[in-house]
């Protein structure tokens, strides 16, 4: 099978915001307790953070981590997780029907994020709470001192403000499962008023309004329109969430889901711009895809979990090779929409639908999806360029044409490096010819792959390296043409260096 593409420096999509490689830690299952925090673990540091997990997170270079939820945030009293640990309350946590011990809160989490080299994307509770608690939290985190909440932070041992720049105004407020869900009118009003007071406390912050919790919601579209009508002048981003599954065990259909992901992004961009036009506004609202991943493997197991226990093993999807291929396609789609998607969070980071898994008291390891995320985060920073692609394709449920080739290209001016990310969705080997007309002399640094695995192959505690990338791809330059062989069903990262 043959495919061709042209990548030119002049076909610019936009600068990739580093926050495109963000992730998410919720107080859910073993994400926090047994994930990032386990004071009795042999690798725990003086604050109880697992160093083995921190090391895997650091390698990913995650620039921002959303916290503390998710559905959890809609019932959360942030004050519960501050102050002396021994007097923090244990509470029934209604979103996931567990017991929350509050041994980790905002103080500890922001310190963990700092140690991981990440910023915090903080969500405020607009379920059971509202503007008052949200503005207090901004004061606690970002006000220098000399006021009630900023002095509380200082008493708790944090003299310097946390300086949290980006904030989510609630979570999935359209979903009936959400604690104190709202209509678009109710949410739009409360989000606008909350945004105002939060920015009055700290005018430098940026805010994300909740979009629909999924493209399939009956109110999708009208929700975004109404929410933006109320919040347009006060917020900077609108959120999108999406999870995919291969319940039908149909690889063609599964790998076509990144086209749905792209359509979702483009629909929300259209809505933002329609509201902009109606408001005669000069301001552009960008997108925060602050929850995305594959999620379904753990659904049955989760149904059998006893409620009201501490940190049960919820949402512990074990990912396989085909999941890594879809995650690769989704990352490529994010890069191809880098002009409008400024923040994206792989949901989540540790144990809960996550690239990193742990055993309590035992090892931590990288799941299959860790690797495309790692490659995109390390090599996907720079200017996203639009490849002009010509290739065959196939039809699947709901789509007449799914291209065999999914690809994105990123030019890093500082390093003089060009990276081509490509997934071969086809079951045959692909000969890919990439024309590179205006980069001058290039050389191939490496062609990394995930290839040759069974679709259901997984990494486990006993076999943590079953699916790992290798620098075994075939790519060579002939003048301005890059000739690459892409194995059937493969993830490819072709790294090139320019002379100048
Ligand atoms: O990421 C798991 C859950 O998925 C989040 O808590 C919620 O926002 C979404 O429905």
């Amino acid at each position: 099978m043959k495919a061709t593409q042209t990548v030119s420096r002049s076909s610019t999509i936009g600068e990739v915001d580093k926050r495109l490689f963000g992730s998410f830690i919720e107080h859910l299952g073993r994400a926090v307790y047994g994930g990032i925090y386990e004071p009795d673990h042999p690798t725990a540091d003086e604050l109880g953070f697992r160093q083995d997990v921190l090391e895997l997170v650091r390698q990913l270079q995650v620039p921002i981590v959303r916290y503390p939820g998710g559905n959890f945030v809609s019932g959360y009293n942030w004050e519960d997780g501050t102050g002396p640990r021994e007097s923090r309350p244990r509470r029934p946590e209604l979103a996931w029907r567990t017991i929350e011990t509050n041994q980790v809160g905002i103080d500890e989490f922001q310190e963990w994020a700092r140690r991981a080299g990440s910023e915090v994307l903080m969500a405020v509770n607009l379920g059971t709470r509202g503007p008052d608690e949200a503005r207090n939290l901004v004061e606690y985190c970002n006000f220098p001192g000399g006021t009630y909440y900023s002095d509380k932070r200082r008493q708790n041992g944090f003299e310097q403000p946390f300086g949290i720049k980006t904030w989510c105004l609630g979570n999935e407020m359209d979903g009936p499962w959400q604690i104190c869900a709202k209509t678009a009118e109710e949410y739009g009003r409360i989000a606008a008023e909350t945004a105002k007071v939060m920015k009055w406390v700290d005018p430098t912050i940026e805010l994300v309004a909740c979009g629909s919790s999924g493209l399939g919601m009956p109110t999708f579209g009208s929700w975004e329109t109404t929410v933006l009508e109320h919040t347009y002048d006060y917020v900077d981003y609108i959120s999108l969430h999406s999870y995919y599954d291969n319940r039908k065990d149909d690889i063609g259909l599964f790998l076509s889901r990144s086209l749905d992901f792209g359509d979702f992004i483009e629909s929300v961009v259209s809505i933002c711009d329609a509201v902009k036009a109606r408001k005669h506004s000069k301001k552009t609202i960008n997108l925060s895809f602050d929850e995305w991943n594959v999620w379904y493997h753990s659904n049955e197991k989760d149904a059998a979990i006893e409620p009201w226990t501490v940190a049960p093993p919820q949402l512990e999807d074990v990912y396989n090779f085909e999941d890594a291929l879809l995650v690769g396609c989704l990352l490529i789609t994010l890069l191809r929409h880098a002009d409008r998607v400024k923040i994206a969070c792989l949901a989540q980071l540790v144990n809960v639908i996550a690239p990193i898994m742990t055993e309590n008291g035992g090892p931590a390891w990288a799941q299959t999806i860790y690797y495309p995320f790692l490659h995109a985060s390390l090599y996907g920073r720079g200017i996203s360029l639009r490849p002009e692609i010509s290739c065959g394709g196939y039809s699947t449920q709901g789509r007449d044409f799914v291209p065999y080739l999914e690809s994105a290209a990123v030019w890093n001016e500082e390093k003089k490096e060009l990276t081509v990310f490509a997934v071969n969705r086809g079951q045959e080997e692909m000969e890919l010819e990439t024309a590179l007309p205006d980069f001058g002399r290039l050389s191939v640094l490496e062609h990394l792959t995930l290839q040759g695995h069974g679709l259901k192959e997984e990494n486990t505690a006993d076999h943590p390296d079953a699916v790992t990338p290798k620098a075994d791809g075939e790519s060579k330059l002939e003048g301005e043409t890059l000739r690459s062989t892409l194995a059937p069903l493969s993830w490819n990262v072709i790294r090139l260096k320019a002379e100048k």
Side-chain angles (χ1 to χ4, degrees):
M1 187 198 343
K2 268 193 82 99
T4 60
Q5 60 179 354
T6 300
V7 175
S8 163
R9 271 170 109 143
S10 56
S11 296
T12 299
I13 296 171
E15 170 108 43
V16 178
D17 190 312
K18 66 175 183 181
R19 294 172 299 173
L20 206 63
F21 311 111
S23 190
F24 177 27
I25 297 266
E26 178 168 2
H27 280 253
L28 156 56
R30 297 190 308 120
V32 174
Y33 308 109
I36 64 168
Y37 175 80
E38 195 180 343
D40 297 335
H41 192 271
T43 72
D45 65 14
E46 82 289 1
L47 291 180
F49 299 134
R50 283 183 67 151
Q51 293 297 300
D52 54 349
V53 172
L54 260 175
E55 192 40 45
L56 284 164
V57 175
R58 280 191 202 112
Q59 281 172 27
L60 288 176
Q61 296 188 15
V62 184
I64 193 161
V65 184
R66 188 164 174 252
Y67 176 84
N71 297 337
F72 170 82
V73 79
S74 297
Y76 185 48
N77 298 339
W78 64 264
E79 304 86 339
D80 290 351
T82 61
R85 278 209 171 105
E86 56 288 3
S87 44
R88 295 187 191 178
R90 283 167 71 93
R91 293 202 192 267
E93 197 290 287
L94 301 186
W96 300 103
R97 291 165 61 77
T98 60
I99 299 294
E100 173 56 50
T101 62
N102 285 302
Q103 290 304 292
V104 171
I106 278 146
D107 292 345
E108 291 80 21
F109 188 76
Q110 64 78 36
E111 180 56 31
W112 177 84
R114 207 182 58 74
R115 291 176 185 205
S118 307
E119 284 174 38
V120 179
L121 170 56
M122 185 77 85
V124 299
N125 175 356
L126 290 188
T128 56
R129 306 184 102 189
D132 195 35
E133 297 83 358
R135 60 133 184 188
N136 294 343
L137 181 55
V138 179
E139 180 189 327
Y140 184 87
C141 293
N142 288 3
F143 216 76
T147 63
Y148 183 78
Y149 284 105
S150 60
D151 285 346
K152 278 228 174 273
R153 181 197 69 235
R154 294 167 68 205
Q155 282 156 23
N156 290 338
F158 300 92
E159 183 60 33
Q160 296 306 318
F162 301 151
I164 294 171
K165 285 281 164 254
T166 323
W167 297 71
C168 296
L169 293 161
N171 176 70
E172 296 190 347
M173 298 308 303
D174 61 330
W177 57 87
Q178 202 65 211
I179 302 170
C180 300
K182 298 193 167 28
T183 64
E185 279 290 336
E186 289 166 346
Y187 173 70
R189 284 293 303 127
I190 202 77
E193 293 305 319
T194 306
K196 270 164 54 181
V197 294
M198 288 172 75
K199 283 193 171 174
W200 284 344
V201 177
D202 181 354
T204 68
I205 62 174
E206 291 194 320
L207 298 174
V208 183
C210 287
S212 298
S213 49
L215 185 57
M217 293 301 284
T219 48
F220 170 71
S222 66
W223 172 275
E224 278 76 2
T225 307
T226 306
V227 166
L228 286 173
E229 287 290 347
H230 288 292
T231 58
Y232 204 90
D233 292 338
Y234 311 113
V235 305
D236 305 280
Y237 308 94
I238 187 147
S239 72
L240 298 83
H241 290 180
S242 201
Y243 293 100
Y244 299 99
D245 68 75
N246 191 13
R247 281 200 189 88
K248 293 201 166 145
D249 200 9
D250 176 341
I251 186 67
L253 177 63
F254 185 52
L255 294 183
S256 76
R257 292 303 184 198
S258 59
L259 303 180
D260 303 350
F261 190 69
D263 289 349
F264 186 12
I265 291 170
E266 285 162 29
S267 304
V268 176
V269 167
S270 306
I271 296 167
C272 291
D273 292 350
V275 178
K276 174 180 183 174
R278 273 178 26 76
K279 285 186 171 278
H280 303 277
S281 176
K282 296 236 178 305
K283 176 179 173 186
T284 299
I285 299 288
N286 284 316
L287 275 50
S288 171
F289 215 126
D290 47 41
E291 288 188 34
W292 67 270
N293 202 349
V294 173
W295 174 11
Y296 74 109
H297 297 285
S298 58
N299 292 168
E300 263 176 50
K301 231 176 107 214
D302 285 345
I305 287 176
E306 274 293 301
W308 315 124
T309 57
V310 176
Q314 291 166 310
L315 277 66
E316 296 203 358
D317 273 38
V318 176
Y319 291 113
N320 57 32
F321 176 58
E322 67 188 14
D323 298 326
L325 293 177
L326 181 64
V327 164
C329 291
L330 297 170
L331 286 159
I332 286 173
T333 309
L334 287 171
L335 288 169
R336 291 180 67 113
H337 292 86
D339 53 337
R340 294 301 292 273
V341 184
K342 299 295 173 190
I343 304 169
C345 302
L346 175 67
Q348 299 190 7
L349 187 54
V350 186
N351 287 332
V352 171
I353 44 173
I356 298 167
M357 284 296 281
T358 72
E359 274 178 2
N360 292 351
W365 65 97
Q367 295 231 56
T368 60
I369 63 168
Y370 182 92
Y371 296 106
F373 188 73
L374 172 76
H375 294 154
S377 178
L378 296 190
Y379 308 124
R381 301 181 193 212
I383 307 288
S384 177
L385 303 174
R386 188 185 315 283
E388 295 302 335
I389 297 171
S390 169
C391 68
Y394 59 93
S395 63
T396 188
Q397 189 193 308
R399 297 232 169 230
D400 293 336
F401 184 76
V402 180
Y404 287 129
L405 175 65
E406 187 74 82
S407 89
V410 176
W411 168 247
N412 188 312
E413 177 66 36
E414 204 184 314
K415 295 186 173 158
K416 302 282 181 241
E417 281 180 24
L418 175 70
T419 303
V420 177
F421 298 92
V423 170
N424 177 4
R425 286 193 181 97
Q427 318 250 353
E428 285 173 35
E429 193 169 86
M430 178 186 287
E431 293 306 327
L432 171 63
E433 207 177 280
T434 306
L436 301 163
D438 48 11
F439 291 90
R441 257 180 96 85
L442 291 163
S443 55
V444 177
L445 289 174
E446 58 182 353
H447 175 164
L448 299 164
T449 71
L450 279 179
Q451 63 183 20
H453 294 285
L455 291 176
K456 308 297 178 192
E457 212 170 326
E458 301 163 341
N459 293 343
T460 58
D462 291 337
H463 299 283
D465 299 325
V467 179
T468 49
K470 303 202 171 42
D472 61 353
E474 291 171 37
S475 274
K476 62 173 190 295
L477 280 155
E478 284 173 13
E480 292 176 346
T481 305
L482 173 70
R483 295 187 194 285
S484 310
T485 304
L486 310 191
L489 296 166
S490 60
W491 162 253
N492 301 268
V493 182
I494 307 162
R495 299 182 54 227
L496 304 148
K497 181 100 183 162
E499 274 184 2
K500 52 181 175 356

